Amino acid sequence: MIRSLRVFLLLFFTLLPLSAATAQERPLKIAFLTDLHYSEGSVSVSDISRCVKDVNTLPDLDFVLVGGDVTDFGTDEEIKAVKSMLDSLKYKYYIVAGNHDAKWSESGCDTFGKVFGYDHFDFSHKGWRFIGCNCGPDMRMAPALLPKESMDWLASLEPGQKTVFINHYPQDTSVLNYFDVTRELKRIGTRFLIGGHWHANHSMEYSGLPGVLCRSTLSAGMNPGYSLITLWNDHVTVSERRLYGSTPVTFEPWYSKNLDEVEDLTEYDENGLPKEYPWMRYDVNDDADAKGIIQVWKIQEDSNIASGFARDKDNAWYATTSGKVSRVSLKDGRRIWTESFGGRIFSTPVLSEGILVFGCADDYVYALDAKRGTLKWKHRAGKSVLASPVVMGGKVFVGSSDGIFRALNLKDGSTVWEYPGIEGFVECRPYVDPDQVVFGTWANRLYSLDPKDGTLQWIWKCDKPSRMYSPAAVWPVKSHGKIFIAVPDRCLYVLDAGSGKEIKRFEKVARESVGISPDGKTVYCKSMWHTLTAIDAISLEVKWQVETGTGYDISPTSIASSGDVVIMPTDKGNIVAFDSASGERLWARKVSPALVNPMETFTSPQGRFVLASTMDGTVTLIRIGNN
């Protein structure tokens, strides 16, 4: 008996150093704050302050993670203010942006990276690797989309470390390229995902990858609070900490799991889509091909694209969010030149008299020699120029983020007139004719100015209190003395062009996306819930309303027309065509999984064409019929 005990003790103490060497020395403890939604004058400010102060009372944290939506509207002031509050943490913190920080960013998503110093992070601590990046959507309303640059960064990471991934969104169908994200995460050895967005505690699984979504710091009628995450020997627990007055309470873990290595067992098709992909797949293109809807060429940029095209009979010009502008041949997509600029570009360029004009997040309006790509002039605004310009009568009409709408001389960029005092920043392309310039802003307002001197004609205000319901992303259209706009409150508004007074309101038929027929007699709009509606621009009667078969869709991109065909873009990379007379669905084509940007339709001796791009950097020319 004694001999057996001696043998046991000998073995125990012999193996103990090996066990200690392979075990984690002590728990890794993290505070996770997410969905702060900082907004000056709101309860969010005191909620954030209480959470930060409470985190500083905890004695043994390793660091703090911040999971996005740190602001409510992504303004420069909000980002700087919340940075100041987070800097009072006594622990080092790592942060990612959320959709609220990016979608309504007056800086074109530049300020967040400049203020916090990075757009993604990668560090190791106590045997674990932590990586995080922004989620999108950048500026354009759509489901999330990890930007091309973030995907390239993920693809560059070497495998071999136990990894935790932090992103604002759940990595499911909430993210348009979720399957590419989870594939890369599994490749590098990710074992756990942490997110927010839903403002509540949820246990998640993404094709075998375990994860959590955690509560917001907002009190939301209860109590402010945050999450505490502990990693110990490949095991994770997540607890909620609520702030009850001066008595914080940490609850027992609501999540506990062993974090094993995850193998990628997902089946992908020839186009890289997973077997369970729930939306329109590329096989719709087989039917389109059979109907003569042919892809002429397709190219892939190394950055996202969030704007449309300028075009002449032989060439197209477009910009990327990395700040590049390219000229390509319409015949075969061959690149003729590419020039780089000092900020991201969300502005759709315009071509006039051989001059290409566009705005940039570096605060400038640029004009290039369209043939060569050389600079002709640049005009500095006070903030980013995210809006798309229109040229009429030798003048460039363009909004910006500095509260000024401008008319510039096309030849030299000099100021023709300015209208100051604009509330909210301008994102859209204005409607311009000899009688008026009409544009919306992210302050619930639609302005009409005199194109001759910039004097104010009228202001229309959306009657919803939140600035989220602004007529700012829609490109207004005009017909028979009426202005048509779609607002995120899901209504199509018809306004008198002369006075701005509301004539009629169509409920639940539209969300930011409108279009008009070539003859101006019909206005088109699409709803969030798979309907396309045609409205008589004179009588304001509904001509037809059809089911699109595209499901939930929040794309703000304008609807296009080509002859007797209505061409509807979606937020999931699909282009769907309908008969303009009856609304009958004619064909569908999938370009990519990402949001379709403003399209160009045109006719040439070779046929009718659609020039399209998608947010993930895909550019394509599609022939839709012979002449």
Side-chain angles (χ1 to χ4, degrees), residues 592-614:
S592 87
L595 169 78
V596 178
N597 296 310
M599 303 172 292
E600 279 282 307
T601 63
F602 62 95
T603 301
S604 78
Q606 288 73 42
R608 287 189 295 161
F609 296 87
V610 177
L611 180 63
S613 69
T614 52

Side-chain angles (χ1 to χ4, degrees), residues 209-232:
L209 283 167
V212 292
L213 302 178
C214 294
R215 64 154 294 165
S216 166
T217 60
L218 295 172
S219 50
M222 299 182 294
N223 302 90
Y226 55 95
S227 301
L228 293 172
I229 300 172
T230 301
L231 285 163
W232 174 262

Side-chain angles (χ1 to χ4, degrees), residues 196-508:
H197 191 60
W198 289 1
H199 290 217
N201 297 326
H202 290 274
S203 171
M204 306 294 288
E205 184 175 307
Y206 312 111
S207 302
L209 283 167
V212 292
L213 302 178
C214 294
R215 64 154 294 165
S216 166
T217 60
L218 295 172
S219 50
M222 299 182 294
N223 302 90
Y226 55 95
S227 301
L228 293 172
I229 300 172
T230 301
L231 285 163
W232 174 262
N233 292 335
D234 297 350
H235 186 86
V236 65
T237 62
V238 184
S239 304
E240 181 179 347
R241 185 169 171 87
R242 293 185 195 170
L243 310 184
Y244 295 97
S246 59
T247 310
V249 175
T250 300
F251 290 84
E252 289 297 312
W254 61 267
Y255 184 88
S256 179
K257 189 174 181 63
N258 288 325
L259 300 180
D260 301 317
E261 188 174 352
V262 177
E263 184 180 354
D264 191 358
L265 301 177
T266 303
E267 295 181 31
Y268 302 94
D269 66 16
E270 65 274 13
N271 296 297
L273 298 180
K275 194 172 184 179
E276 73 278 8
Y277 186 74
W279 303 307
M280 192 180 294
R281 306 180 74 97
Y282 286 95
D283 55 12
V284 299
N285 294 348
D286 296 335
D287 180 62
D289 288 342
K291 294 178 179 178
I293 316 302
I294 305 299
Q295 176 183 290
V296 180
W297 51 260
K298 185 175 182 178
I299 56 180
Q300 179 64 55
E301 284 289 345
D302 59 3
S303 173
N304 279 14
I305 298 175
S307 54
F309 300 89
R311 179 189 57 80
D312 64 16
K313 66 183 183 67
D314 297 316
N315 307 277
W317 293 259
Y318 62 87
T320 70
T321 59
S322 62
K324 295 179 181 178
V325 176
S326 295
R327 173 191 170 196
V328 297
S329 165
L330 279 176
K331 180 181 179 181
D332 54 13
R334 175 179 53 86
R335 192 183 307 274
I336 299 169
W337 56 255
T338 296
E339 297 294 335
S340 297
F341 297 87
R344 306 186 196 205
I345 301 175
F346 295 91
S347 173
T348 293
V350 63
L351 178 68
S352 181
E353 300 179 30
I355 300 173
L356 188 76
V357 185
F358 57 92
C360 184
D362 67 356
D363 304 349
Y364 283 98
V365 180
Y366 287 94
L368 310 182
D369 180 299
K371 183 178 180 180
R372 298 173 180 82
T374 54
L375 181 68
K376 292 186 72 71
W377 55 261
K378 61 180 181 178
H379 181 103
R380 184 162 193 170
K383 282 188 175 182
S384 295
V385 185
L386 312 175
S388 301
V390 171
V391 175
M392 183 188 73
K395 300 189 190 80
V396 177
F397 299 89
V398 64
S400 64
S401 296
D402 64 356
I404 299 174
F405 193 94
R406 295 170 170 82
L408 307 176
N409 188 301
L410 175 64
K411 296 298 185 183
D412 60 13
S414 59
T415 299
V416 178
W417 54 256
E418 293 183 345
Y419 179 82
I422 298 292
E423 294 190 51
F425 73 92
V426 183
E427 170 188 334
C428 71
R429 185 176 73 181
Y431 172 82
V432 180
D433 68 18
D435 298 317
Q436 61 189 141
V437 179
V438 181
F439 58 94
T441 75
W442 283 110
N444 296 76
R445 286 158 172 76
L446 189 79
Y447 290 82
S448 180
L449 306 180
D450 188 314
K452 295 186 293 294
D453 57 14
T455 55
L456 178 67
Q457 295 173 332
W458 49 259
I459 301 175
W460 175 85
K461 297 179 183 178
C462 182
D463 58 14
K464 306 296 190 299
S466 172
R467 55 188 167 179
M468 305 295 178
Y469 297 118
S470 295
V474 61
W475 291 8
V477 299
K478 181 179 179 180
S479 181
H480 294 85
K482 308 177 190 75
I483 299 292
F484 296 81
I485 55 169
V487 177
D489 65 359
R490 309 180 193 183
C491 296
L492 178 76
Y493 291 87
V494 186
L495 311 178
D496 179 79
S499 66
K501 296 186 181 301
E502 185 178 318
I503 299 171
K504 191 167 184 177
R505 181 186 307 191
F506 294 85
E507 302 277 349
K508 298 181 180 179

